[in-house]
Amino acid sequence: MIGIFHFQDPDIWPAGDAAAVGTLRRLSGREDHVAVAAAFSPYRSILARYMWISRDADKEAVT
């Protein structure tokens, strides 16, 4: 998270983050999230941020 938000590294995939991984698996329909995220290199940090935004939007739609 420090690399993504503080150092603004554009190519970090947070493989241990349940929200980003779960959202990517749900949207892609594939279990191998690392392979799906690899297709977005060198912009995996941006992918992660969109996964978090999507996850938050889903929570707001339910409530």
Side-chain angles (χ1 to χ4, degrees):
M1 300 308 157
I2 292 171
I4 292 173
F5 293 104
H6 180 71
F7 294 112
Q8 297 180 354
D9 185 335
D11 196 29
I12 296 174
W13 176 246
D17 186 85
V21 169
T23 304
L24 184 61
R25 283 180 175 162
R26 182 177 54 82
L27 292 175
S28 69
R30 295 178 52 191
E31 286 296 316
D32 188 8
H33 65 91
V34 175
V36 175
F40 290 88
S41 182
Y43 304 107
R44 291 178 287 189
S45 295
I46 297 168
L47 172 67
R49 295 184 79 166
Y50 275 107
M51 294 301 99
W52 292 320
I53 290 168
S54 176
R55 176 77 178 234
D56 290 343
D58 284 347
K59 286 181 180 180
E60 290 175 5
V62 172
T63 59

